[in-house]
Amino acid sequence: MKTQQFWWILSSFTIMSITLNGVINNLTPAFQDLGYGLKTAAVITSVAMIGMSGGKLLIGQLFNRAGLRKASILANLSMIICLGGLIFGATIPGVGAALLGFVIGGGFASMSVPFLADGIYGRADFARISGVLQGAFNIGSILGPLSMSPLYSLTGGYGASWTLFIGFLCINFMIYLKYLPNHAREVF
């Protein structure tokens, strides 16, 4: 926990959680803002949540087969696709991109803490390290939705938040490339 790697990975959990929880908590109103009725927006959100359940299975397989770095980068890219889809969500391809990106990007959130904690640091101090990483994720869960309100008030829409979140995820790319090992237990 005293390494630079740990603190950057901790930051990446907060960043991913800000983006994910900002999306989850505002998905239905965002689609309503794009012109969809409440019923249609709620159906799109329901499909996204069901897809995220399947995404958890997919991301688990990706961690096992592709390694920690590649799976995390793919999940991050998927979340960027989701956000891009939300920016262009008034079109059917935009809705499709939002849903498709959310499947793996959303699934990554709950699967990443145990996979990365165990894969990088092992099981000797798993509970403590996992707890700290989960705490960073929980902080992001609070900051994501809270950060969206002022941006919505300033701009009158969700596009500024989605664009900001894409910028945050670009920071995550750099963190993953520098600090995540390709395979488990490769500590810097």
Side-chain angles (χ1 to χ4, degrees), residues 151-174:
L151 284 173
Y152 187 89
S153 295
L154 285 171
T155 64
Y158 290 96
S161 294
W162 306 147
T163 303
L164 175 66
F165 291 170
I166 289 171
F168 284 167
L169 292 174
C170 289
I171 294 168
N172 260 5
F173 275 126
M174 292 183 283

Side-chain angles (χ1 to χ4, degrees), residues 88-163:
F88 299 103
T91 66
I92 297 299
V95 172
L99 291 173
L100 183 64
F102 192 76
V103 168
I104 293 178
F108 176 78
S110 63
M111 301 299 290
S112 59
V113 170
F115 269 98
L116 292 175
D118 179 54
I120 297 170
Y121 303 106
R123 294 190 180 141
D125 206 10
F126 177 80
R128 183 169 64 113
I129 291 171
S130 179
V132 172
L133 294 175
Q134 190 62 50
F137 190 84
N138 291 338
I139 290 169
S141 298
I142 295 166
L143 296 176
L146 287 177
S147 67
M148 294 185 71
S149 180
L151 284 173
Y152 187 89
S153 295
L154 285 171
T155 64
Y158 290 96
S161 294
W162 306 147
T163 303

